[in-house]
Amino acid sequence: MRLLRTRVTSLELKSPPRGLTPVPHGVGMVAIAEMRWMPLAEYRALYRIVGEAHHWTSRLIDDERLRREIHDRDTRIFVMTVDGRKAGWFELDIRRVTDEVRIVHFGVLPDYRGYGLAHVMLSRAIASAFAGGPKRVTIETNTLDHPAALALYQKHGFRPYALRDVQTPAIESVREPLRAHS
């Protein structure tokens, strides 16, 4: 197994935004809805579509572990659709003991990038995260993620609070491009 070195930036936001980013004109009908008890196959498809190019591996686990992770009472998954087709998703981890919400995964599917939808979805992720009144919302990105990720998070008010270097397994076999099913 080949390991890749990456620098992880941990960011935090300590106050909710004043409003939501509007949906750009001409994009289509955008909806973002929570998906309780998302089927494992559907979750894996979204995870791979967004994460494979960036060597995301934390959710490449067996069914039982994945079920425990994503169906936990403190995990909330939201899916963005455009004209009824999946266009992105984010996952929140509600840490009630530490009064923190972590945006665990955040990604716009490749076919929907470049339309301003990441800003729309991130503003909804932040609002959803602050809905329970935590003291802070956190997110991480690394140098293997989309090159615009760090700037996007900072534009929405996140500030870095830690850096660390890590090694992550490389995803060696990039298959045919995956498509999300509607």
Side-chain angles (χ1 to χ4, degrees):
M1 167 179 33
R2 187 169 63 102
L3 294 176
L4 301 172
R5 294 184 60 80
T6 185
R7 172 156 285 183
V8 176
T9 302
S10 299
L11 301 105
E12 66 184 354
L13 184 60
K14 293 187 176 181
S15 60
R18 294 182 185 200
L20 297 174
T21 301
V23 174
H25 293 290
V27 171
M29 180 63 177
V30 175
I32 298 174
E34 186 170 4
M35 299 283 297
R36 295 300 295 160
W37 310 109
M38 179 182 274
L40 299 184
E42 185 176 342
Y43 181 92
R44 281 191 173 105
L46 289 172
Y47 185 86
R48 286 184 176 134
I49 291 166
V50 173
E52 192 169 67
H54 308 293
H55 300 276
W56 288 7
T57 59
S58 68
R59 294 287 201 243
L60 301 179
I61 53 182
D62 65 68
D63 285 357
E64 188 52 40
R65 279 188 60 208
L66 182 60
R67 188 175 293 107
R68 280 195 312 266
E69 290 285 334
I70 70 170
H71 293 167
D72 183 273
R73 73 177 185 93
D74 291 334
T75 299
R76 298 177 63 203
I77 298 168
F78 295 78
V79 174
M80 176 176 64
T81 58
V82 175
D83 295 330
R85 297 179 54 92
K86 289 180 182 71
W89 66 286
F90 62 89
E91 180 179 337
L92 303 178
D93 176 15
I94 315 298
R95 298 178 175 196
R96 298 175 204 287
V97 174
T98 59
D99 207 15
E100 175 183 313
V101 175
R102 185 169 65 110
I103 301 173
V104 180
H105 295 104
F106 177 90
V108 175
L109 277 63
D111 289 349
Y112 293 92
R113 292 179 185 153
Y115 299 101
L117 293 170
H119 290 282
V120 171
M121 195 169 72
L122 184 56
S123 75
R124 284 12 175 231
I126 293 167
S128 296
F130 272 111
K135 291 184 180 164
R136 75 180 192 156
V137 173
T138 62
I139 194 167
E140 289 185 342
T141 188
N142 67 61
T143 52
L144 298 174
D145 281 341
H146 191 283
L150 181 58
L152 171 71
Y153 303 153
Q154 290 179 311
K155 185 170 185 171
H156 283 262
F158 283 93
R159 297 292 170 247
Y161 68 89
L163 291 172
R164 70 183 187 283
D165 292 323
V166 300
Q167 292 187 349
T168 188
I171 295 178
E172 299 293 348
S173 61
V174 177
R175 297 176 291 275
E176 291 288 318
L178 296 168
R179 301 279 182 229
H181 301 287
S182 306

